[in-house]
Amino acid sequence: MLKKLFILALLLPLLAYSQNSIRYKIFYNDDLERNGLKVQVDYTLKKPSDTLSFYFANENWGEKNLFNTLTLLKEENPDIGFETQPEKSRIKINMKEGNKVSFIYHIRQDFKDPSYTIFNRPRINNTFFHVLGKNLFMVPLSFTKNPEDREFEFSVEWLDFPTKFRLHNNFATQARAQNIKTTLWDGFYNSLFIGGDYRFYSFKVQNKPVYFALRDQWHNGFTDDFLFSNLKKAVQSQRDFWKDYDQNYFTVTMTPTVSQKDSLFKGYSTTGSAIKNAFMIQGTNNPFNDKNSYLYLLHHELMHEWIGNKIQNKNEELNYWFSEGFTDYYTYKNRLRIKDISTDEWLRLFNSEVIRNHWKNPQRDIPNYKIKDDFWKSRDVEKVPYRRGAIFAFWLDNQILLKTRYRKSLDDLMRELLKKCTEKKLKFTDELFLDLVQQYLDRDITYFFQKHIISGEDIDLTREKWIDGFEFKNMEAIPQLEIDSTKNLKYAISEVK
């Protein structure tokens, strides 16, 4: 009896492991543009079965009908039948009964280049590929029904790729065989896999690597040196600000959506997204490339590593006033602190891009609960939490500076909030934030918060108290900040305590 129990004790971890693990092999071929990335998936079931369902996202990050990128060939899977259900993001597999499942599928690019509007569909050609993890790997449907914090073992092997075809992702660089232990939604599916003619640069922060991957020759002064040197400056300054150096691996990727030397497309479009251990930049590469837009995007997306990632919203869009608004505020403030922009430039940007744009937004007084419903439907609604939250952050920063006689600022509150959320594994809520604010101001601002953030009424900036040297005046019915240059301004000083 004891011997049987001992054997069972040895087998249980192996059974549990098999249910938490899955293997993928990705094969190279000479015509990736036509054939796509060939993926073999191997999975062991807990008990024999003749059917199994896999999850494959038919919608992801604004892209629909992603089943159009998926191909299942009968000649590669002679003993398996597939029933695709795009409306359920599901593939039902019929097979010979057993406890091991193995099949092959292909992921292809399903649109023609150039495209100025597509950012998040798989890009696969003979030169490079750029595919989100959620769009490349299907998983057993059971994986999607587990707790969000449950970790899985994902084994990924890249076969027959030429040495010059460089491989990189959120978990490792230049690895031909990977064992990735992470969660599904916030980890494996919140990732990017790239390969091909990318160029790589790296540096270290407290002996921990940061990688920069980019491809193509960028126009209008976007040299590798300009892009990389500003990335280094932004990463170092933000980690110094948060006093947080825990990130063991971080990567930034930059991929053009369209490259043109001429000006046929008279515009510049770029987007950035924070993902697991990384963020990615995509944009049109043409004579209209804008350096200031790149620097804004760089600082904004890197700040999301803390505001939105480590300090994670409990109520997503309802908390965007914080995760987007405070990120935007610190995008400008951090650039001023490290002298990436001058005080005059900061003033111009904050007045125009935050305050003026907010006051001119026809949706600026929308209640917070409606932002949750309409955020993804309207560009005007989408921008409200960015600017409303940034203005509130500026107000709160000033109130803390005044209350503490410049010994503390919003910076101190944010670092304390980070510590609370990470050490106690808390998610961000309005209540958590307001309790912390009360400790810094010695007063309850719940009514002010309800009035201006939840209900959406404008803060009368001309009537509020500001630190010495700041004053608001109405210009064409829009409040604008003015700075008295004769004052010893104590605003973005990193040494404020």
Side-chain angles (χ1 to χ4, degrees):
M1 182 65 178
L2 287 174
K3 185 176 181 181
K4 289 181 179 179
L5 289 174
F6 176 72
I7 294 172
L8 183 60
L10 290 175
L11 287 175
L12 282 175
L14 295 175
L15 290 171
Y17 175 82
S18 69
Q19 291 302 294
N20 289 338
S21 66
I22 189 167
R23 301 182 65 87
Y24 302 94
K25 294 178 181 178
I26 302 99
F27 299 87
Y28 176 82
N29 69 80
D30 292 332
D31 197 350
L32 288 173
E33 186 167 337
R34 186 180 70 175
N35 299 318
L37 290 169
K38 176 182 172 181
V39 183
Q40 178 180 318
V41 56
D42 296 292
Y43 179 64
T44 302
L45 287 77
K46 186 176 182 179
K47 58 182 180 180
S49 176
D50 58 1
T51 61
L52 183 66
S53 290
F54 273 74
Y55 174 88
F56 184 77
N58 195 40
E59 294 188 17
N60 188 30
W61 282 16
E63 301 290 350
K64 298 180 179 180
N65 300 317
L66 288 167
F67 265 62
N68 292 342
T69 70
L70 173 67
T71 302
L72 292 156
L73 299 175
K74 184 64 179 177
E75 56 265 32
E76 292 180 326
N77 303 284
D79 298 324
I80 296 179
F82 299 98
E83 182 183 335
T84 59
Q85 301 172 339
E87 69 283 358
K88 296 182 179 180
S89 293
R90 183 184 301 179
I91 299 166
K92 187 176 180 181
I93 295 176
N94 300 299
M95 57 192 180
K96 293 180 180 178
E97 184 165 316
N99 64 349
K100 292 186 177 181
V101 183
S102 180
F103 61 93
I104 290 170
Y105 61 91
H106 295 252
I107 301 296
R108 293 185 174 93
Q109 178 172 320
D110 68 336
F111 63 93
K112 290 185 178 180
D113 290 315
S115 173
Y116 300 99
T117 58
I118 292 177
F119 290 93
N120 296 319
R121 299 187 84 80
R123 294 180 180 273
I124 303 170
N125 57 48
N126 293 335
T127 306
F128 78 99
F129 68 81
H130 177 282
V131 189
L132 294 170
K134 195 173 181 179
N135 298 342
L136 180 58
F137 298 105
M138 61 175 69
V139 299
L141 193 62
S142 60
F143 279 32
T144 68
K145 298 179 179 180
N146 282 289
E148 289 187 3
D149 59 352
R150 180 180 178 182
E151 289 191 331
F152 298 90
E153 297 273 358
F154 302 96
S155 173
V156 181
E157 193 172 357
W158 304 85
L159 299 174
D160 305 326
F161 284 83
T163 304
K164 66 179 181 179
F165 204 99
R166 308 186 72 184
L167 301 168
H168 185 80
N169 54 63
N170 299 52
F171 308 100
T173 186
Q174 316 310 327
R176 302 289 163 137
Q178 298 176 251
N179 287 304
I180 303 167
K181 186 175 183 180
T182 186
T183 59
L184 178 64
W185 301 111
D186 291 335
F188 198 57
Y189 270 0
N190 190 31
S191 62
L192 174 69
F193 290 78
I194 63 170
D197 63 347
Y198 283 85
R199 302 184 297 282
F200 290 87
Y201 301 91
S202 65
F203 65 100
K204 291 184 178 180
V205 179
Q206 293 205 354
N207 211 35
K208 295 174 180 178
V210 177
Y211 294 95
F212 182 45
L214 75 163
R215 64 173 306 277
D216 214 342
Q217 300 302 316
W218 290 76
H219 306 305
N220 203 21
F222 276 28
T223 64
D224 286 16
D225 182 65
F226 166 77
L227 297 168
F228 182 57
S229 62
N230 279 285
L231 171 65
K232 287 173 65 177
K233 189 176 180 181
V235 170
Q236 183 70 61
S237 66
Q238 291 193 10
R239 293 192 184 184
D240 289 343
F241 166 75
W242 289 102
K243 298 178 173 60
D244 180 8
Y245 306 96
D246 290 343
Q247 188 74 286
N248 290 319
Y249 176 93
F250 192 77
T251 182
V252 176
T253 62
M254 188 166 176
T255 303
T257 54
V258 174
S259 292
Q260 282 183 325
K261 293 181 180 179
D262 55 39
S263 55
L264 287 175
F265 174 67
K266 298 184 183 299
Y268 171 74
S269 176
T270 187
T271 184
S273 302
I275 48 181
K276 178 71 173 179
N277 299 330
F279 91 87
M280 62 177 182
I281 302 171
Q282 296 180 86
T284 50
N285 177 20
N286 61 21
F288 299 98
N289 289 346
D290 186 286
K291 289 184 178 180
N292 186 63
S293 296
Y294 167 76
L295 293 172
Y296 164 82
L297 183 68
L298 191 64
H299 283 267
H300 182 96
E301 295 303 332
L302 285 172
M303 188 60 68
H304 271 314
E305 181 63 27
W306 293 272
I307 307 175
N309 186 358
K310 291 190 175 183
I311 306 173
Q312 192 175 78
N313 291 345
K314 184 174 182 179
N315 299 302
E316 205 52 35
E317 290 94 346
L318 289 175
N319 296 140
Y320 276 2
W321 65 265
F322 173 74
S323 61
E324 293 297 352
F326 277 51
T327 294
D328 228 33
Y329 177 69
Y330 273 102
T331 295
Y332 296 107
K333 187 176 182 181
N334 192 53
R335 291 183 66 190
L336 174 61
R337 178 187 284 115
I338 65 174
K339 297 181 172 58
D340 188 50
I341 51 177
S342 67
T343 301
D344 288 343
E345 289 173 311
W346 171 84
L347 179 65
R348 177 181 60 81
L349 290 169
F350 195 70
N351 271 331
S352 62
E353 295 185 3
V354 178
I355 299 172
R356 182 176 292 276
N357 283 345
H358 183 62
W359 251 259
K360 286 191 170 185
N361 188 339
Q363 294 284 354
R364 77 174 192 267
D365 59 353
I366 186 174
N368 197 54
Y369 76 89
K370 285 191 176 181
I371 292 175
K372 181 181 187 302
D373 297 329
D374 298 339
F375 183 86
W376 300 103
K377 301 175 184 177
S378 164
R379 179 68 172 173
D380 286 338
V381 173
E382 178 187 336
K383 298 308 293 184
V384 169
Y386 285 74
R387 295 159 183 162
R388 181 185 289 173
I391 292 167
F392 176 53
F394 178 74
W395 176 87
L396 183 57
D397 203 358
N398 275 259
Q399 306 317 304
I400 296 173
L401 285 163
L402 288 170
K403 176 64 180 178
T404 62
R405 297 184 179 182
Y406 304 100
R407 292 190 300 274
K408 290 186 178 181
S409 72
L410 182 61
D411 301 354
D412 299 276
L413 184 150
M414 295 298 287
R415 285 188 284 260
E416 186 173 346
L417 179 63
L418 173 66
K419 186 176 181 181
K420 280 181 177 290
C421 289
T422 52
E423 291 184 357
K424 297 183 180 181
K425 296 184 178 179
L426 300 174
K427 289 195 173 184
F428 177 91
T429 63
D430 295 351
E431 295 76 18
L432 173 67
F433 186 74
L434 291 172
D435 286 346
L436 193 55
V437 169
Q438 187 167 356
Q439 297 174 30
Y440 278 76
L441 296 182
D442 289 334
R443 63 187 174 98
D444 186 355
I445 67 162
T446 300
Y447 175 76
F448 183 94
F449 177 82
Q450 288 282 344
K451 181 179 180 181
H452 298 297
I453 300 300
I454 303 303
S455 297
E457 184 176 325
D458 294 330
I459 301 173
D460 189 344
L461 301 176
T462 62
R463 292 180 177 271
E464 293 294 324
K465 293 182 179 179
W466 307 103
I467 64 172
D468 198 22
F470 280 177
E471 181 182 12
F472 277 93
K473 292 183 179 179
N474 281 325
M475 298 179 184
E476 300 176 352
I478 297 175
Q480 293 285 271
L481 177 63
E482 293 185 351
I483 293 179
D484 186 344
S485 58
T486 66
K487 302 289 186 179
N488 183 19
L489 196 64
K490 299 177 180 178
Y491 168 62
I493 306 171
S494 59
E495 290 77 18
V496 165
K497 293 295 179 187

